[in-house]
Structure formats: structure tokens, C-alpha cells
Amino acid sequence: MPTPYGSHGGMAFGAEELRVLRRALALALHPSPVSAEDVQDCLRLAESVDEALREGVRLRAFLLADLARYRAALPGTAGGYLVLLEEVLAAGYRPNPDDLAALRALRGNPTAAALLDRCRVLAEQDVRARLAGRSVAAVPSVPSSRTRLLALPGGRAADRPEKKAEPKPPSRPPARTPGTDRPIPTPGEVFPPRRKSGPPPSNPPQHLAAG
């Protein structure tokens, strides 16, 4: 597995990783059929590199948080602050105005004076880059997955076939009775409501007396 970022932000590969990396570069420059073993080696290397980069980002965030704590506790933490600042500068950190102010306050320290000169140069470079419309180098983040590597023949992309959209079933017409074009009658049509009987006659008929 590649070694995470060190004090200078580098990454070390072992002999086996370098062999796989050379093979992957050769395939990228000259595409050709690859074996399943080559594909798996490339995938493992990609996962190892991603994990090493994630670890580097976590380490960098930890160092920057530590740097802010040491800077807030100056001047009593000058020794630790200067050591941490040197380390994060070597990893690509761009000093901010708080760092410049802290170094000016510590300029009596030879290490702080040297770091102040170095940070001033970096700050001037950033200002010139902004004036020229160029973006200043940002903190490296975790890269996206290696889509080209995963798309190698026989790779993971081949294990996941594209899902085709299933056709929607056609809408069904209203059910009709067999042999007719009329729809099935509703219960109200089959059993119509009963009509209310009229009121009883006001003068009931009188029975004739027997003669």
C-alpha cells in the first residue's frame, strides 16, 4: 500500500505497486486486452492510493487545527508553532494574515524571521496570482474515483451492466362486458333506489253497510 503523505507531502510506492503502476500506464498509452489479474491489481492499487490520499487529507486537517491552537496561545507556544508551520508549508499550506502577524511578533527568533521572509514571498505570489486572474493553489482534497481505471475491460464497470428502463405497461381501458361495447354497469344501475310510497289517502273509503 502506498505510504500516506509525509513531512513533504510525498507518497512512496513499493516495488509491487510500481510494477502495477507501470502496467496501468502502459495500458493507458497503448490500450490492449488485459487479464483479470491485471485488472484486479489495478483496482487494488487505485483503492490504496485513494486511501492514502484520504489519510493525507485527514493528517493535513489535524495539523492545521493544531497550528491554529498553537497560534492562538502565542507567545508561550512559539517553539511548537514554528515547527508546525514549517511542516504545513512543506505540504503546500498557504500562510494567512494571522500567520504573518504572528511571525512579525516573533521576528526576534531566527527561525521565525526566516519563516516570515518565506511567508511574505508566498503571500506576494498569491496577490500577483489574484491580480492576474489566476486561482491560488487550493488545499488538495480527496480525488474522485478513477473512472478510467474502473472502466478497464473486465473491471468493475463490466460487472455492473447498465440498467435499461423498463417500458411502462399500457393503460388499460375500462372493463367491458363480453360481447358488448358497453362498460360494466355500476351497482347503482343494477340496483336502482326504491321509490318512496306516496302518503295515504286523506279520506279512507267507507264500507257499505250490509242491506
Side-chain angles (χ1 to χ4, degrees):
M1 174 179 176
T3 303
Y5 286 110
S7 59
H8 296 286
M11 184 180 295
F13 288 91
E16 182 63 20
E17 285 86 5
L18 287 176
R19 180 192 68 79
V20 177
L21 183 59
R22 283 196 297 268
R23 177 61 174 153
L25 291 174
L27 290 172
L29 294 173
H30 305 287
S32 61
V34 294
S35 65
E37 182 180 359
D38 284 337
V39 171
Q40 293 303 318
D41 288 343
C42 290
L43 292 175
R44 280 193 293 269
L45 178 62
E47 291 173 354
S48 297
V49 170
D50 281 343
E51 179 55 34
L53 290 175
R54 283 191 290 268
E55 181 62 27
V57 171
R58 288 192 290 266
L59 175 62
R60 185 188 182 92
F62 174 80
L63 290 177
L64 293 182
D66 237 11
L67 180 69
R69 286 192 291 269
Y70 274 82
R71 186 174 58 224
L74 287 173
T77 55
Y81 171 71
L82 296 176
V83 171
L84 279 174
L85 183 59
E86 280 185 310
E87 186 169 354
V88 295
L89 286 175
Y93 172 71
R94 314 299 290 190
N96 59 33
D98 290 337
D99 293 315
L100 295 175
L103 292 173
R104 291 191 191 98
L106 299 171
R107 69 178 66 188
N109 183 310
T111 303
L115 283 173
L116 178 59
D117 292 338
R118 182 178 174 184
C119 289
R120 279 174 174 167
V121 171
L122 293 174
E124 291 173 358
Q125 291 175 355
D126 291 348
V127 171
R128 285 196 295 269
R130 291 191 184 95
L131 292 176
R134 300 193 303 270
S135 59
V136 180
V139 177
S141 57
V142 180
S144 57
S145 60
R146 272 80 171 159
T147 53
R148 287 177 61 87
L149 183 59
L150 296 180
L152 285 174
R156 290 181 180 175
D159 296 336
R160 296 192 298 266
E162 296 182 358
K163 294 183 178 180
K164 297 182 180 180
E166 297 181 357
K168 295 182 178 180
S171 58
R172 296 181 179 178
R176 300 179 182 274
T177 54
T180 65
D181 293 333
R182 296 182 59 189
I184 295 176
T186 63
E189 294 174 345
V190 178
F191 305 104
R194 295 180 179 179
R195 296 182 181 179
K196 295 182 179 180
S197 59
S202 56
N203 297 320
Q206 297 179 356
H207 296 281
L208 295 176

